[in-house]
Amino acid sequence: MKQSEKITQAYFAFLDKHIADVISGDAPKFLELNQIASALFVSHAHLTATIQQTMGHHPCHFYDQKIVDAARKMLTETDKPVAEIANVLTYDPSNFSKFFKKMTGQTPGQYRDSVR
């Protein structure tokens, strides 16, 4: 396996665990991309270049997408209020709604209504 593939796999595995840790409360907040790069023992620039080369998008694209996927799961599988889901994901509720709508085209409430 090429080094770029190892870095890409490590990045996605790290994201999955880190997002789960934030949701469970084991991590206090989402890490910055440079902190993730440090945890993976690569530079921020190398991580960014590698993910863009192997996956076609900036690493933040996938990070944000995984956060939205976690939010969708909570909106679908729980009756938690949107503000509580925002807090679990360490967002201010109004910022979370804007972020979710920017990523999906729907507010969290509209998404929840559409899947029920």
Side-chain angles (χ1 to χ4, degrees):
M1 180 184 298
K2 291 182 355 194
Q3 188 63 23
S4 59
E5 292 168 359
K6 288 179 185 173
I7 291 169
T8 301
Q9 281 185 344
Y11 176 69
F12 283 99
F14 187 96
L15 284 189
D16 289 339
K17 180 174 183 338
H18 178 55
I19 291 169
D21 287 348
V22 170
I23 291 168
S24 70
D26 291 338
K29 63 185 174 71
F30 288 112
L31 296 173
E32 300 287 329
L33 196 57
N34 62 336
Q35 294 170 302
I36 294 171
S38 291
L40 297 175
F41 306 104
V42 295
S43 72
H44 181 278
H46 187 58
L47 177 64
T48 300
T50 300
I51 299 300
Q52 279 194 290
Q53 175 205 343
T54 58
M55 302 300 294
H57 287 285
H58 192 278
C60 291
H61 168 83
F62 299 104
Y63 200 2
D64 288 348
Q65 198 59 58
K66 285 184 175 284
I67 293 168
V68 167
D69 290 346
R72 282 187 171 128
K73 186 172 189 234
M74 284 188 266
L75 288 163
T76 304
E77 296 177 4
T78 74
D79 290 323
K80 288 181 180 174
V82 171
E84 189 179 332
I85 292 171
N87 287 332
V88 166
L89 294 171
T90 72
Y91 276 83
D92 172 82
S94 67
N95 289 342
F96 172 71
S97 290
K98 288 177 196 156
F99 165 73
F100 191 91
K101 184 165 187 176
K102 185 181 110 189
M103 293 292 292
T104 67
Q106 295 177 299
T107 66
Q110 289 168 333
Y111 175 77
R112 178 176 265 164
D113 292 344
S114 76
V115 296
R116 292 215 161 154

